[in-house]
Amino acid sequence: GQGALSILGGVYNAGDVAATDVEVTITAYREDGAVASVRQVGAEPLAAGERVNFSLSLVPAAPVARIEAVVWGLQAPTSSE
């Protein structure tokens, strides 16, 4: 197979409230659409309008045709006072 892949990216909170428990999932796919590798990393909480960069290594089990990134987080609780 191919060696390790270095994945660099950024996460931007386009909302108007902070996000917590932010997770980035990177999935590498083979030419036939099968998954070659998956990696999940946590990111710091993001304030509204904030951006954070990430980098990780991915060691796929087969040659990679495409890579997909999915990011999600939770809305930070707001004070009801």
Side-chain angles (χ1 to χ4, degrees), residues 2-77:
Q2 61 197 57
L5 301 174
S6 294
I7 310 295
L8 308 172
V11 176
Y12 174 70
N13 180 357
D16 47 358
V17 295
T20 63
D21 299 316
V22 177
E23 297 282 339
V24 178
T25 302
I26 305 293
T27 307
Y29 296 92
R30 301 184 327 198
E31 188 68 40
D32 65 2
V35 173
S37 187
V38 176
R39 179 93 188 264
Q40 186 174 41
V41 295
E44 297 294 319
L46 291 174
E50 185 178 16
R51 176 187 171 93
V52 64
N53 294 321
F54 66 88
S55 65
L56 59 92
S57 292
L58 193 66
V59 182
V64 172
R66 70 182 176 93
I67 296 174
E68 182 177 285
V70 176
V71 180
W72 66 271
L74 300 175
Q75 181 174 324

